[in-house]
């Protein structure tokens, strides 16, 4: 018995030694799987793996269905997804991953996790402050589609497809989360070939009002450029602290900036610039909306409500839109209210900037030691002496020192009402502006402040024409001092005989037809016009001063190298083009665009120096061929 007990003791000691050595070897030569902090994390990891398997099953079934010529509806796919996740407790993917309430508008990335996650057994990287990552960062695992959301954000059925005019980031799944904030990425890489029959020495944005008259050697000198400057990136960050509250932050940028070192000789090093950067707060139960930051002006036409990224922008390729479209992107504070998302009211306080035409005031005057720049103003009829008017400064800290900024006393104010009906979207608005200048009157040595009011009224519509495949979109803005809201940049103001800025009367309008012959093709045609009225005075020397004067000698406008100081009266344009979404897959989408624009510019009448009337006019043709790759769509 003692011998047997001794042998058993020796065998047990050997076994324990083997177990100990085996454990040590396993720990030394095997990489452990990531440890989970508690059962909840382990359960979440298992659910993530189940969702990945469910997504793989659905992908295989979809391929089989395509081979057999069958079509599966989104509802059926989503129902299968809910059944699969229900096996693990009946919670949705959103509820399993986030601490906030489930939001059916959020989809998770169908891409596989990064290599670091895949090496850890395919588990999502999770922390939320408990563990090694104090920032709460996590990659989102694969998940099935959500009902009502297409697999691709390339929806060309809209009159203003956000995949073209914006970046469609709202319709894309989050890539990752940081704490309770989901992060979506959007954008595209673009290559455009631009051809103009008059040399503008411009990139993929046409200064429509600068098409030269025949006196300029650039008139009729064709221009061809290839540019990738309009390649765009966007980031949308979203959070839902409560079921009825949504917070969003949006940043959008492209490479349309041109610093002093930018050139196309050795390297085309064009700089990033901020297109949009703002945050929004939405209280759904109250229908309350708040926006702060740089965004499209509330003057811009909208296709639905008054929500950001729902602007009714033409699906054109030129970055300066087309003549007749009222728009601008400015810093602003906007508050809005909706009633059942059908009727809308918005008030926006926007950053002002004015344009001044002082072309008939040939002399400039600038006080010593001042950044002010201004013009010498001849006396009016029956007056004596000459005034000095000051209305702009060179840019200072964080502003462009090579650009002048007008001295405005108050922000622009826009009040807009809109309605979404079964017959389309309609809106009306009012715009208020203020213009200020300083003047030194004859015989005086100190300045006087002058403030003039300007503004206008406008309207817009987007409506189907008997079928969803054809839509009509239009806008109009009429008033005094509203030129900056049109892409042709007609002057807002000119000077009167007392050195005051006086608003110029203007009308801006466009009308477009947008067609959808198929899901992958969008066709459009637009007509637009911008026109300015007269705002001038008669000087004591018998000449006219201001804008729209009729006594200028314009005989040189039709002679090469002749002198031509014609003032623009009207710009009219006709644009036709289309987009073809020709490739789509798990690695993004490709789209091609073709556009033609004809522009006609008319000047105010002058004379030829012999008493005969002269009406200078010029024209231009622009052709765009554009390709875009959308890696996130």
């Amino acid at each position: 018995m003692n011998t047997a007990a001794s042998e058993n003791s020796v065998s047990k000691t050997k076994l324990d030694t083997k177990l100990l050595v085996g454990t040590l070897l396993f720990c030394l030569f095997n990489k452990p799987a990531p440890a989970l902090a508690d059962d909840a994390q382990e359960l979440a990891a298992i659910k993530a793996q189940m969702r990945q398997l469910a997504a793989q099953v659905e992908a295989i079934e979809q391929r089989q269905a395509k081979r057999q010529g069958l079509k599966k509806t989104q509802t059926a796919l989503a129902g299968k997804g809910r059944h699969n996740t229900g096996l693990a407790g009946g919670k949705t993917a959103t509820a399993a991953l986030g601490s906030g309430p489930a939001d059916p508008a959020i989809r998770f990335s169908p891409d596989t996790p990064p290599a670091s996650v895949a090496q850890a057994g395919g588990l999502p990287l999770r922390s939320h402050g408990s563990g090694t990552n104090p920032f709460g960062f996590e990659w989102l695992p694969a998940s099935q589609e959500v009902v009502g959301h297409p697999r691709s954000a390339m929806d060309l059925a809209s009159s203003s497809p956000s995949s073209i005019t914006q970046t469609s980031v709202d319709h894309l799944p989050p890539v990752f989360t940081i704490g309770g904030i989901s992060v979506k990425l959007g954008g595209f890489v673009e290559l455009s070939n631009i051809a103009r029959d008059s040399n503008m020495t411009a990139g993929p944005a046409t200064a429509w009002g600068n098409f030269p008259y025949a006196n300029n050697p650039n008139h009729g000198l064709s221009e061809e450029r290839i540019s990738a400057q309009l390649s765009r990136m966007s980031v949308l960050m979203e959070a839902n602290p409560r079921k009825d509250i949504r917070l969003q932050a949006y940043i959008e940028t492209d490479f349309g900036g041109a610093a002093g070192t930018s050139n196309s000789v050795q390297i085309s090093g064009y700089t990033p610039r901020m297109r949009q950067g703002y945050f929004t707060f939405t209280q759904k139960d109250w229908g309350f909306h708040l926006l702060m930051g740089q965004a499209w002006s509330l003057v811009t036409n909208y296709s639905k409500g008054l929500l950001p990224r729902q602007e009714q922008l033409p699906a054109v390729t030129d970055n300066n839109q087309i003549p007749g479209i009222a728009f601008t992107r400015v810093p602003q504070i906007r508050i809005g209210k909706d009633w059942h998302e059908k009727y809308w009211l918005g008030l926006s306080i926007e950053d002002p900037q004015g344009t001044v035409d002082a072309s008939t005031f040939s002399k400039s005057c600038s006080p010593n030691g001042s950044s002010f720049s201004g013009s010498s103003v001849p006396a009016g009829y029956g007056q004596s002496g000459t005034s000095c008017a000051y209305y702009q400064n060179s840019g200072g800290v964080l502003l462009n020192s090579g650009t002048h900024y007008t001295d405005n006393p108050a922000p622009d104010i826009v009040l807009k009402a809109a309605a979404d009906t079964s017959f389309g979207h309609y809106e009306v608005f009012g715009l208020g502006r203020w213009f200020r200048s300083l003047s030194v009157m004859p015989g005086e040595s100190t300045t006087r402040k002058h403030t003039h009011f300007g503004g206008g009224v406008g309207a817009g519509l987007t409506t189907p024409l008997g079928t969803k495949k054809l839509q009509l979109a239009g806008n109009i803005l009429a008033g005094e001092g509203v030129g900056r809201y049109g892409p042709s940049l007609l002057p807002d103001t000119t000077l009167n005989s007392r050195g005051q800025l006086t608003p110029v009367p203007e009308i801006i309008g466009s009308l477009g037809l947008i067609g959808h012959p198929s899901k992958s093709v969008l066709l459009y045609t637009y007509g637009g016009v911008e026109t300015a009225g007269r705002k001038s005075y008669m000087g004591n020397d018998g000449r006219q001063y201001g804008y729209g004067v009729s006594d200028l000698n314009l005989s040189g406008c039709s002679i090469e190298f002749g002198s031509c100081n014609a003032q623009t009266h009207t710009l009219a344009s006709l644009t036709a083009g289309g987009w073809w979404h020709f490739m789509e897959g798990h690695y993004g989408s490709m789209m091609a665009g073709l556009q033609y624009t004809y522009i006609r510019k008319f000047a105010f009448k002058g004379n030829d120096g012999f008493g005969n009337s002269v009406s200078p006019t010029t024209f231009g043709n622009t052709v765009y061929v554009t390709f875009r790759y959308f890696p996130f769509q």
Side-chain angles (χ1 to χ4, degrees):
M1 293 292 295
N2 291 337
T3 303
S6 177
E7 289 177 355
N8 289 337
S9 176
V10 172
S11 299
K12 184 177 181 181
T13 301
K14 291 180 179 180
L15 180 60
D16 291 342
T17 302
K18 291 180 179 180
L19 288 174
L20 179 61
V21 173
T23 301
L24 291 173
L25 292 174
F26 180 82
C27 293
L28 288 174
F29 296 102
N30 288 275
K31 185 177 180 179
L36 299 178
D38 49 32
D39 291 341
Q41 289 185 340
E42 185 175 2
L43 181 61
I46 294 173
K47 290 179 179 179
Q49 291 179 329
M50 294 180 65
R51 287 193 294 273
Q52 291 176 349
L53 293 174
Q56 293 175 1
V57 170
E58 290 174 2
I60 294 173
E61 290 177 346
Q62 288 176 0
R63 289 198 298 268
Q64 291 176 342
K66 288 180 180 179
R67 294 191 188 102
Q68 298 172 4
L70 300 178
K71 294 185 178 179
K72 289 193 173 184
T73 64
Q74 289 282 347
T75 304
L77 290 175
K80 183 185 286 285
R82 286 195 299 270
H83 176 72
N84 288 334
T85 53
L87 295 176
K91 295 184 179 180
T92 64
T94 306
L97 289 173
S99 58
D103 185 352
I106 295 179
R107 298 185 298 157
F108 295 95
S109 172
D111 299 326
T112 57
S116 59
V117 180
Q119 292 173 359
L123 302 181
L125 180 61
R126 303 178 56 84
S127 174
H128 294 294
S130 60
T132 60
N133 189 345
F135 300 105
F137 177 88
E138 62 174 319
W139 289 99
L140 297 179
S143 174
Q144 54 274 15
E145 298 293 330
V146 179
V147 178
H149 289 271
R151 290 186 60 84
S152 173
M154 307 295 283
D155 179 16
L156 298 187
S158 167
S159 59
S160 180
S162 58
S163 57
I164 298 173
T165 60
Q166 309 275 359
T167 57
S168 280
V169 69
D170 290 88
H171 303 285
L172 297 174
V175 177
F176 58 87
T177 67
I178 302 177
I181 302 173
S182 66
V183 181
K184 300 180 179 182
L185 301 179
F188 51 80
V189 177
E190 175 181 299
L191 182 67
S192 285
N193 185 43
I194 309 108
R196 304 182 181 98
D197 63 352
S198 286
N199 185 17
M200 309 286 289
T201 317
T206 305
W208 303 109
N210 291 348
F211 269 93
Y213 292 100
N215 69 305
N216 192 323
N218 284 319
H219 177 77
L221 180 66
S222 63
E223 173 187 28
E224 188 277 335
R225 296 187 185 277
I226 298 177
S227 176
Q229 284 181 263
L230 298 188
S231 298
R232 194 181 304 175
M233 284 292 297
S234 64
V235 180
L236 176 62
M237 293 159 279
E238 295 181 308
N240 296 89
R242 293 202 323 239
K243 184 179 180 180
D244 59 336
I245 291 179
R246 166 161 289 187
L247 299 173
Q248 293 183 321
Y250 182 71
I251 298 176
E252 181 183 283
T253 182
D254 63 13
F255 298 87
T261 57
S262 297
N263 64 77
S264 299
V265 179
Q266 187 178 34
I267 56 172
S268 297
Y270 295 94
T271 54
R273 63 169 185 172
M274 182 174 70
R275 287 175 55 89
Q276 299 188 78
Y278 58 83
F279 69 89
T280 62
F281 169 85
T282 300
Q283 221 292 350
K284 186 176 181 180
D285 293 345
W286 300 345
F288 176 77
H289 307 270
L290 172 68
L291 180 149
M292 291 187 178
Q294 178 164 308
W296 293 94
S297 168
L298 191 58
V299 166
T300 310
N301 202 12
Y302 282 75
S303 60
K304 179 181 179 182
L306 298 177
L307 297 177
R309 301 183 300 282
Q310 294 289 338
E311 293 83 5
Q312 177 60 50
L313 300 170
V316 296
T317 54
D318 196 293
N319 201 47
N320 201 27
Q321 307 294 324
I322 54 176
I325 299 295
F327 78 97
T328 186
R329 291 190 303 269
V330 287
Q332 60 188 276
I333 301 172
R334 183 193 303 180
I335 57 175
K337 174 73 171 72
D338 76 77
W339 288 268
H340 307 292
E341 296 186 352
K342 185 175 181 180
Y343 302 105
W344 305 74
L345 186 65
L347 175 66
S348 184
I349 300 173
E350 304 183 355
D351 180 58
Q353 181 59 222
T355 56
V356 181
D357 182 274
S359 59
T360 57
F361 304 94
S362 57
K363 296 181 180 180
S364 63
C365 51
S366 298
N368 294 330
S370 172
S371 61
F372 261 117
S373 63
S375 301
S376 177
V377 181
Y381 185 78
Q383 300 174 346
S384 60
T386 301
S387 305
C388 270
Y390 307 105
Y391 46 85
Q392 59 189 14
N393 281 281
S394 299
V397 178
L398 294 184
L399 294 179
N400 188 344
S401 60
T403 299
H404 290 96
Y405 296 82
T406 51
D407 180 29
N408 299 97
D412 293 354
I413 297 179
V414 185
L415 179 64
K416 175 177 280 191
D420 292 306
T421 71
S422 57
F423 302 102
H425 171 89
Y426 304 89
E427 58 186 45
V428 293
F429 65 91
L431 167 66
R433 309 192 65 194
W434 289 264
F435 307 98
R436 184 168 64 187
S437 64
L438 301 176
S439 67
V440 180
M441 303 302 294
E444 298 182 3
S445 58
T446 58
T447 61
R448 297 182 184 183
K449 294 180 183 178
H450 307 284
T451 301
H452 276 211
F453 176 79
V457 294
L461 63 86
T462 304
T463 180
L465 294 179
T467 172
K468 293 182 179 180
K469 290 189 175 183
L470 184 63
Q471 292 133 343
L472 176 70
N475 68 276
I476 188 171
L477 170 60
E480 292 190 339
V482 298
R484 78 172 290 222
Y485 287 92
S488 301
L489 289 180
L490 293 174
D492 291 324
T493 61
T494 187
L495 296 168
N496 64 13
S497 61
R498 301 182 63 84
Q500 301 171 344
L501 293 177
T502 58
V504 175
E506 286 143 342
I507 297 177
I508 301 170
S510 72
L511 197 63
L513 288 174
I514 304 98
H516 316 274
S518 71
K519 293 182 178 180
S520 60
V521 175
L522 171 74
L523 301 177
Y524 58 84
T525 180
Y526 281 91
V529 64
E530 297 181 41
T531 184
R534 300 179 186 273
K535 185 69 71 167
S536 60
Y537 71 91
M538 180 68 71
N540 61 3
D541 57 359
R543 295 182 55 190
Q544 297 180 33
Y545 297 92
Y547 197 74
V549 301
S550 59
D551 61 351
L552 295 176
N553 186 337
L554 304 179
S555 60
C557 293
S558 59
I559 302 173
E560 191 171 18
F561 296 112
S563 176
C564 181
N565 55 348
Q567 296 175 317
T568 301
H569 182 290
T570 299
L571 289 108
S573 69
L574 177 64
T575 298
W579 290 92
W580 176 31
H581 178 204
F582 63 88
M583 189 175 72
E584 180 182 87
H586 293 290
Y587 300 98
S589 298
M590 287 286 293
M591 191 179 293
L594 176 65
Q595 176 181 309
Y596 165 75
T597 297
Y598 173 79
I599 181 81
R600 189 86 182 185
K601 182 168 72 170
F602 303 89
F604 284 99
K605 290 183 178 181
N607 62 77
D608 62 356
F610 300 98
N612 300 312
S613 179
V614 174
S615 300
T617 184
T618 189
F619 65 91
N621 296 279
T622 301
V623 176
Y624 269 78
V625 179
T626 301
F627 294 92
R628 287 181 180 177
Y629 169 57
F630 301 80
F632 304 107
Q633 300 179 38

